């Protein structure tokens, strides 16, 4: 009988079985065991160079990709399973009980963040921070062996365990033993002493660390002593395989964030999650999540404070923003608050305002009577600054003008609180009333003039000298265009323009009573100090209530880098 007829006959008799085909869905994560089962003992080829034997086997894939897993009975192929392996979400390395976590969703996100922070502060400051988080420094320069062992797609992160003075840093790997070995050599090369009593433990100048691989991730736990490090490391090993997904609120919030970039998860301070911490009655958000994008000269954070209800209610009708809609141009800072301010501050930053029998209680009372609409604009008084700085023999003496306007629903209550606050001052206070308006004048903050005026429904304030020669500007529209919704009903919006401060300092000017050369020298020294202090150009913050808590937008821009011209 011809060979093909023999094969046909065998098939028709059922003597040769067809290959069982399977295509697994959904994808599985790198670093997690995947189970495979056949009808009898088999030899398994997992498609990644690894093999196994048995009726049922489990295998962990170190790299992302699609794999064809095959099972053999002798030389005959019996099973073929297609498996799609995806990079492990770095949030799955974060324990659900973490108090805060910072996650780089790929290693490519780490250098831009470091570069931005170096410009924001200084290279020395960032270097000290990296020394306290050695795993990040290793991930930036892992060497040839470390480079091949790390998984750039699985990213890196840092979190703080609940109730422990410890930090847990982690990075995804494709070769756990090689990654651990490369990190160990890297630490020893930088002065860390390996513990002779236990492998994977290192110490340097009061910093104790344990290095280990778990579920396809390289962890480095640091703390102030071995007991703390041991407890934190054991918590890592006991954490569920799905990590932060074990917290449904945090998981839902993270899932709603834009993909890629850098992500942040925090729990509110002083909410009783840590041993001995007191609860904050006003806190109504349980977790905050945010996505950060680092650009060449800016970083933008978009996040949410998640709770069961809005942190405060947006007003049904808002009073027009009379100050910021036509404020003098050139402010260095702006504030627009269409919220019950005491409630908003207590909800966003619990325990910020003290409830005790001290000055904080007076501040609380003042915030509560100044409800809803509060607008303020801060200006740098360059001329007064130069006069005061020269008089102080070069010691910088800030001089500003602050304009404020607040809606007051209860005039007698506001008048009572203002009177109580001013009565506690040592400086003299002049007050006068005309019709429905009461005016107070005094001195505050190194001799700045302070004037308050209260009419039937508004409290006006001016700290510093009156402004002149500045064109009116609609900052409500300008900020609203920069961040959609900013300055709107129910929003708390703050804007800082450090670039404007630098421009005010450098603007050529004649100051009556001062030698022009002293003016120029003082301007040069002060502007140089300011440029060395920070590279921040602008900061914009907008917080608004949402059905499940609040939305947060933060944008920080740096002074643009100078572009080097062509070589001569």
């Amino acid at each position: 009988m011809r060979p093909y007829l023999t094969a046909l006959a065998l098939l028709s008799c059922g003597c040769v079985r067809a290959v069982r085909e399977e295509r697994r869905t959904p994808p599985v994560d790198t670093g997690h065991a995947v189970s495979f089962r056949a009808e009898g003992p088999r030899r398994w080829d997992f498609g990644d160079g690894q093999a196994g034997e048995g009726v049922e086997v489990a295998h962990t894939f170190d790299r992302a990709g699609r794999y064809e897993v095959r099972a053999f009975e002798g030389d005959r192929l019996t099973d073929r399973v297609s498996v799609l392996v995806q990079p492990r979400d770095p949030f799955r390395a974060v324990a659900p009980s973490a108090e805060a976590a910072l996650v780089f969703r790929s290693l490519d996100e780490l250098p831009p963040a470091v570069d931005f922070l170096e410009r924001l502060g200084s290279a020395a400051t960032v270097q000290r921070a990296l020394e306290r988080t050695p795993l990040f420094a290793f991930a930036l320069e892992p060497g040839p062996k470390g480079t091949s062992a790390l998984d750039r797609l699985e990213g890196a992160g840092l979190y703080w365990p609940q109730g422990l003075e410890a930090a847990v840093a982690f990075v995804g790997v494709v070769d756990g033993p090689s990654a651990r070995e490369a990190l160990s050599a890297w630490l020893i090369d930088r002065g860390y002493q390996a513990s002779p009593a236990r492998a994977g433990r290192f110490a340097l100048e009061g910093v104790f660390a344990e290095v280990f691989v778990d579920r396809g991730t390289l962890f480095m736990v640091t703390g102030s002593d071995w007991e703390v490090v041991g407890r934190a490391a054991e918590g890592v090993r006991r954490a569920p395989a799905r990590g932060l997904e074990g917290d449904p609120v945090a998981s839902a919030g993270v899932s709603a964030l834009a993909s890629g970039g850098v992500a942040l998860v925090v729990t509110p301070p002083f909410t009783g999650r840590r041993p001995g911490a007191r609860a904050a009655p006003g806190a109504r958000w349980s977790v905050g999540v945010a996505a950060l994008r680092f650009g060449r000269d800016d970083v933008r954070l978009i996040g949410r404070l998640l709770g069961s209800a809005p942190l405060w209610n947006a007003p049904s009708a808002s009073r027009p923003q009379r100050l910021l809609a036509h404020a003098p141009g050139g402010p260095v800072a702006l504030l627009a608050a269409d919220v019950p301010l005491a409630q908003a501050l207590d909800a966003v930053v619990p325990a910020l305002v003290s409830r005790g029998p001290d000055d904080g209680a007076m501040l609380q009372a003042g915030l509560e009577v100044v409800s809803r609409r509060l607008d303020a604009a801060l200006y740098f008084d360059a001329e007064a600054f130069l006069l005061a700085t020269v008089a102080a023999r070069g010691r910088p003496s800030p001089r500003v003008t602050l304009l404020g306007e607040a809606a007051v629903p209860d005039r007698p209550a506001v008048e009572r609180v203002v009177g109580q606050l001013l009565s506690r001052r040592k400086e003299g206070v002049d007050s006068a009333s005309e019709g429905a308006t009461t005016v107070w004048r005094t001195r505050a903050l190194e001799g700045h003039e302070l004037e308050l005026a209260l009419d039937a429904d508004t409290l006006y304030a001016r700290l510093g000298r009156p402004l002149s020669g500045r064109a009116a500007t609609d900052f409500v529209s300008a900020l609203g265009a920069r961040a959609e919704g900013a300055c709107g009903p129910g929003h708390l919006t703050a804007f800082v323009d450090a670039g404007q401060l630098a421009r005010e300092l450098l603007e050529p000017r004649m100051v009556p009573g001062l030698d022009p050369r002293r003016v120029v020298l003082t301007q040069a020294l002060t502007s140089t100090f300011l440029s060395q202090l920070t590279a921040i150009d602008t900061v914009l913050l907008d917080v608004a209530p949402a059905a499940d808590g609040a939305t947060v937008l933060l944008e920080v821009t740096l002074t643009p880098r100078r572009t080097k011209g062509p070589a001569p």
Side-chain angles (χ1 to χ4, degrees):
M1 183 180 294
R2 295 182 179 180
Y4 70 86
L5 294 178
T6 303
L8 183 60
L10 291 173
L11 284 173
S12 63
C13 295
C15 297
V16 177
R17 298 177 182 176
V19 176
R20 185 182 67 87
E21 302 277 358
E22 181 185 354
R23 188 178 181 88
R24 292 276 181 95
T25 56
V28 299
D29 289 344
T30 54
H32 287 275
V34 185
S35 296
F36 302 94
R37 183 179 179 83
E39 293 181 356
R42 297 289 188 268
R43 176 174 56 84
W44 296 85
D45 178 354
F46 298 113
D48 61 353
Q50 302 297 314
E53 292 185 0
V55 177
E56 184 173 3
V57 294
H59 181 66
T60 299
F61 294 93
D62 294 327
R63 294 181 182 273
R66 181 168 289 281
Y67 294 89
E68 184 181 88
V69 179
R70 298 179 298 168
F72 295 86
E73 186 177 28
D75 293 330
R76 183 173 64 86
L77 177 65
T78 61
D79 300 82
R80 183 160 41 215
V81 184
S82 178
V83 180
L84 179 61
V85 180
Q86 64 185 3
R88 183 188 187 196
D89 186 334
F91 271 110
R92 293 178 182 171
V94 179
S97 60
E99 292 186 346
L102 180 67
V103 170
F104 298 85
R105 290 178 162 176
S106 82
L107 290 186
D108 293 334
E109 304 290 351
L110 191 53
V114 171
D115 177 66
F116 182 90
L117 293 174
E118 285 182 342
R119 295 188 60 209
L120 183 64
S122 68
T125 301
V126 174
Q127 182 59 39
R128 286 193 295 270
L130 288 173
E131 289 172 357
R132 292 192 295 269
T133 316
L135 190 60
F136 282 3
F138 169 72
L140 286 167
E141 297 181 0
K145 188 170 184 177
T147 298
S148 62
L150 299 185
D151 191 332
R152 304 196 67 81
L153 297 179
E154 290 187 6
L158 176 70
Y159 74 88
W160 291 264
Q162 180 181 346
L164 289 174
E165 295 297 326
V168 179
F170 58 89
V171 61
V173 298
V174 295
D175 185 339
S178 295
R180 185 176 60 246
E181 183 181 340
L183 175 59
S184 300
W186 187 93
L187 291 171
I188 292 173
D189 186 55
R190 281 153 182 79
Y192 279 80
Q193 298 296 314
S195 170
R198 184 167 175 177
R201 286 193 165 185
F202 303 86
L204 174 66
E205 298 178 355
V207 177
F208 301 87
E210 183 169 342
V211 175
F212 58 94
V213 175
D214 188 65
R215 293 162 293 170
T217 301
L218 177 65
F219 288 92
M220 183 172 185
V221 180
T222 55
S224 56
D225 58 58
W226 286 126
E227 180 183 357
V228 170
V229 169
R231 291 168 59 192
E234 184 60 26
V236 172
R237 294 184 175 99
R238 291 199 313 265
R242 306 302 286 185
L244 199 64
E245 290 183 357
D247 183 329
V249 176
S251 177
V254 169
S255 298
L257 296 177
S259 61
V262 182
L264 178 69
V265 177
V266 297
T267 56
F270 308 114
T271 55
R273 293 189 63 169
R274 288 179 292 177
R278 69 181 181 87
R284 288 186 292 148
W285 60 280
S286 59
V287 64
V289 297
L292 297 89
R293 291 286 186 180
F294 289 90
R296 175 180 170 85
D297 295 313
D298 59 32
V299 62
R300 188 176 180 89
L301 177 152
I302 299 177
R304 303 183 73 87
L305 302 177
L306 299 172
S308 58
L311 295 192
W312 61 84
N313 294 319
S316 55
S318 295
R319 170 182 167 172
Q321 296 149 312
R322 295 183 296 192
L323 171 61
L324 295 189
H326 51 79
V332 296
L334 297 169
L335 174 67
D338 189 30
V339 302
L341 200 57
Q343 177 188 350
L345 291 177
D346 199 29
V348 174
V349 187
L352 177 66
V353 180
S354 171
R355 296 178 180 274
D358 54 13
D359 290 340
M362 186 64 72
L363 175 59
Q364 178 81 16
L367 292 173
E368 287 178 350
V369 297
V370 181
S371 64
R372 277 300 166 215
R373 182 85 259 154
L374 173 63
D375 299 310
L378 181 68
Y379 299 82
F380 178 67
D381 190 336
E383 183 174 301
F385 165 78
L386 291 169
L387 283 166
T389 300
V390 171
R393 300 181 180 276
R395 180 176 62 85
S397 302
R399 292 293 185 269
V400 298
T401 294
L402 173 66
L403 303 179
E405 179 182 298
V408 292
D410 187 342
R411 186 185 190 280
V414 174
E415 189 169 15
R416 183 169 58 254
V417 170
V418 171
Q420 291 174 347
L421 288 171
L422 294 179
S423 67
R424 302 176 67 176
R425 301 187 54 76
K426 295 179 180 180
E427 294 81 359
V429 178
D430 295 327
S431 62
S433 297
E434 183 176 345
T437 302
T438 301
V439 178
W440 298 267
R441 293 186 179 89
T442 185
R443 292 276 177 178
L445 297 176
E446 298 186 0
H448 281 76
E449 300 174 12
L450 174 62
E451 181 176 284
L452 301 173
L454 177 64
D455 64 17
D457 63 355
T458 306
L459 176 65
Y460 305 92
R462 175 178 58 80
L463 176 68
R465 301 194 306 176
L467 297 173
S468 61
R470 295 174 182 253
T473 305
D474 182 359
F475 291 104
V476 175
S477 299
L479 292 178
R482 183 164 180 164
E484 184 177 355
C487 299
H491 284 241
L492 176 63
T493 305
F495 179 70
V496 176
D497 191 346
Q500 175 64 27
L501 176 60
R503 290 187 291 273
E504 295 266 5
L505 280 171
L506 289 174
E507 181 182 345
R509 63 181 73 242
M510 297 292 292
V511 180
L514 291 184
D515 184 333
R517 291 171 296 181
R518 294 291 301 275
V519 171
V520 172
L521 178 61
T522 302
Q523 286 179 303
L525 291 175
T526 307
S527 60
T528 299
F529 171 76
L530 181 63
S531 65
Q532 293 176 345
L533 182 65
T534 179
I536 291 178
D537 188 44
T538 63
V539 179
L540 173 62
L541 171 68
D542 184 71
V543 186
D548 58 351
T551 61
V552 181
L553 181 145
L554 175 65
E555 181 183 81
V556 179
T557 63
L558 303 182
T559 304
R561 303 175 198 252
R562 294 181 179 179
T563 303
K564 295 182 180 180

